[in-house]
Every structure is written in structure tokens, then in C-alpha cells.
Amino acid sequence: MTSVSTHTRGADLMCFTRISMTVADVGFLVYWAVTLFALIPAEYAYKDYDDPVMSDWNYSFVLLDLAASVTGLAALRLRRRAGNGEPLMLISLVLTATAGLQAIVFWALRGDFAVEWWLPNLFLLLFPLPAITLLVRRIGEPRR
């Protein structure tokens, strides 16, 4: 009975993770498209948006976010087509959590606690953690 409930929890967790990955990965692409085309009104942007150093800090995330998005969307596609994709999923989840952590640490160091920037970055940091744990445990399990 325990293994059935553990399996069900694992399946539920992975379903939640796939939905969250889709939201995050598409969100990364939308955010960077909107940012690159300067479509965010200044009043909705982060504090000191016009400061060149802050702009550089923001753009320093482009490759990290795009790598998370590309590996995540590829993992989801592989899972649908070939029934696999867990290695890419693990990579994507680690990159996503890293992006969230880096942003949260930066905002904390600046003493800037704007909820509109903290919430999405806390989501990016936290949603991957349970699935990363599950995937790492699966890697360590003996193959049958």
C-alpha cells in the first residue's frame, strides 16, 4: 500500500512539475521577448530599470533563462513522444531554480522586497525542488 501511495504522490508531483515547467518555460520566452522589444512600461519594471548596471544585471539572465526554457520544453516534448526526457528535465529544473535563487539573493542584498518580483522568482526557485529530489532519487535507484 505504501508503494502505491508513494507512486501516486510521485505521479502527482510530476504532473504538477510538468504544468509548472510549461508555465515557467513559456514565461521565460514571453518575458525576454517583451523585454527585448522594450514593451514593459517603466512603472511596471523593477526598481532602477533605467540604470545601465541594473539593465546589465537583468540581461545577464538571458542565457540562463533561455537554457532552462529550451531544455525544459525539449524534456516535455521528449516525454510526450518517447516517454523519457527526465535527464533534460533535471537539467531544466536545476537551471530554473538557479535563476530564481540568483534573483532572490540579488533583491535581498539590495533590500528591495517588491512582491511583484519576489513572487515569480520564489516560484522559479521553489517549484523545481521536490521534482529535483525525486529525479535524483530515481537516478540512484538500481535498474530493473
Side-chain angles (χ1 to χ4, degrees):
M1 181 142 178
T2 302
S3 65
V4 171
S5 64
T6 301
H7 176 68
T8 302
R9 280 186 300 205
D12 290 346
L13 171 64
M14 293 313 286
C15 180
F16 168 78
T17 300
R18 287 189 300 275
I19 292 167
S20 297
M21 282 179 69
T22 302
V23 169
D25 294 339
V26 171
F28 279 143
L29 297 176
V30 169
Y31 175 78
W32 285 111
V34 165
T35 300
L36 291 170
F37 291 110
L39 300 176
I40 298 174
E43 63 268 16
Y44 296 113
Y46 49 83
K47 184 173 155 189
D48 299 326
Y49 179 76
D50 293 330
D51 179 342
V53 173
M54 286 299 295
S55 180
D56 289 348
W57 167 81
N58 188 46
Y59 281 103
S60 74
F61 281 83
V62 170
L63 292 179
L64 177 60
D65 292 352
L66 293 181
S69 183
V70 167
T71 55
L73 295 172
L76 294 170
R77 184 177 172 108
L78 270 174
R79 184 195 166 280
R80 240 185 9 248
R81 289 189 171 223
N84 202 344
E86 287 186 354
L88 274 179
M89 181 181 273
L90 180 59
I91 291 167
S92 177
L93 291 169
V94 169
L95 292 172
T96 300
T98 300
L101 176 63
Q102 286 298 113
I104 290 295
V105 168
F106 179 81
W107 295 119
L109 289 172
R110 283 183 53 92
D112 188 347
F113 297 100
V115 70
E116 64 272 13
W117 291 104
W118 273 73
L119 285 180
N121 285 295
L122 281 171
F123 169 74
L124 294 174
L125 169 61
L126 297 174
F127 94 79
L129 299 180
I132 289 170
T133 303
L134 181 66
L135 291 170
V136 168
R137 283 185 182 154
R138 285 184 185 172
I139 290 169
E141 289 178 355
R143 296 186 183 214
R144 297 177 197 181

